[in-house]
Amino acid sequence: MESEMPQLPRKDEQKKMLARAAADLVEPGMMLGLGTGSTVDFFITELSQRNFSGSGLTIVPTSRASAGKAEECGFKVVSPSASAVPDLTVDGADEVSRDLSMTKGGGGALLWEKIVARASQRRVYLADDTKLVARLGKFPLPVEVTPFGHVYTAILLRKFRAATRLRIDASGEPFETDSGNLIYDCNFPADADPAKLDVDLSSVPGVVTSGLFIGFIDILLTVADGQTVPVSDPSDVFW
Ligand code: 5RP
């Protein structure tokens, strides 16, 4: 009889599994960098269910939305400061490639996510299996730009062969980040090299940051064969 392939958990089920696995890495009294997005929402709910709010855990959030959610769950929330350096940051991802580069910023929190992650001692990212790709690029790359002169900035982005689209919010207005900036969602040609693009984009006046997160992953938690799997090195990559 043929062995049956395990049924792949639905996307939200995977996110919940990842949230549980990430919660296992949290310890009472930690300074925790909290990412943004639906996976992170499951994670904060999981921490709340495990009664971490009374454990001395302090949260440095990466968006107003995550700060609100953490406060709702009874957590102590602080802003970045010299005495609030995260021991660990847990965040989601939009795409992860085989060299463990990532695209983030689907939720528009890329700048604060990058700042908090870079300051952290350790970074853990949660990616359900729909986020695992051979090469980055299917998910449009969010590029955060200053409102001033953003149309000029978009013209410069197109010099890197990008198709650019100003992000619009649900009310039809330009989407505004928590820092008051705008986002262009960009499609670059398939042969674009993410590492070079990262450097190129940072040279454009008006670009605040991009959603390219290269060299950020300490541990990636993903799902394979119905189990959460940690990936900490390109040699662990299975997709
Ligand atoms: C927000 C992000 C999120 O981490 C990313 O969009 C993943 O979100 P989700 O967990 O909802 O799939 O980068 O800026």
Side-chain angles (χ1 to χ4, degrees):
M1 197 171 102
E2 266 184 35
S3 69
E4 245 178 48
M5 286 291 284
Q7 190 77 35
L8 211 55
R10 291 198 328 271
K11 209 164 150 178
D12 275 2
E13 272 318 306
Q14 288 196 26
K15 290 182 180 185
K16 283 185 198 168
M17 288 168 65
L18 294 169
R20 287 195 289 272
D24 290 343
L25 304 174
V26 176
E27 288 162 24
M30 262 189 172
M31 187 67 67
L32 179 70
L34 182 68
T36 298
S38 55
T39 315
V40 166
D41 282 351
F42 286 124
F43 169 64
I44 193 76
T45 302
E46 180 68 25
L47 291 183
S48 171
Q49 284 166 354
R50 293 190 192 188
N51 292 320
F52 265 105
S53 56
S55 77
L57 188 79
T58 304
I59 286 181
V60 181
T62 59
S63 61
R64 294 190 206 288
S66 286
K69 173 96 185 168
E71 275 166 351
E72 250 172 53
C73 291
F75 288 95
K76 181 176 174 200
V77 172
V78 297
S79 301
S81 75
S83 57
V85 175
D87 300 298
L88 170 73
T89 288
V90 175
D91 202 351
D94 292 307
E95 268 187 352
V96 188
S97 60
R98 288 190 189 130
D99 63 357
L100 299 183
S101 297
M102 279 184 295
T103 299
K104 287 185 47 57
L110 56 162
L111 177 61
W112 292 16
E113 288 172 340
K114 219 177 230 186
I115 291 170
V116 173
R118 215 10 122 208
S120 284
Q121 303 289 334
R122 228 158 40 112
R123 292 161 284 266
V124 173
Y125 290 92
L126 314 180
D128 62 76
D129 65 358
T130 65
K131 314 270 180 75
L132 307 178
V133 297
R135 284 181 62 85
L136 299 182
K138 191 156 179 224
F139 192 91
L141 179 67
V143 179
E144 181 160 347
V145 303
T146 57
F148 178 83
H150 70 89
V151 174
Y152 297 165
T153 307
I155 291 169
L156 291 174
L157 290 175
R158 292 199 278 275
K159 295 205 164 143
F160 295 110
R161 302 182 294 152
T164 58
R165 198 178 60 258
L166 182 65
R167 191 179 293 186
I168 302 297
D169 68 17
S171 58
E173 296 298 318
F175 175 90
E176 204 178 282
T177 70
D178 283 345
S179 292
N181 294 319
L182 303 173
I183 290 182
Y184 279 92
D185 290 302
C186 300
N187 286 99
F188 290 91
D191 63 357
D193 170 22
K196 179 169 185 316
L197 199 54
D198 197 23
V199 175
D200 286 346
L201 292 175
S202 64
S203 74
V204 176
V207 168
V208 178
T209 197
S210 84
L212 282 171
F213 282 56
I214 297 176
F216 276 70
I217 293 177
D218 291 315
I219 302 176
L220 174 76
L221 293 174
T222 186
V223 179
D225 296 333
Q227 309 278 335
T228 54
V229 181
V231 174
S232 53
D233 192 272
S235 64
D236 298 335
V237 164
F238 59 86
W239 65 94

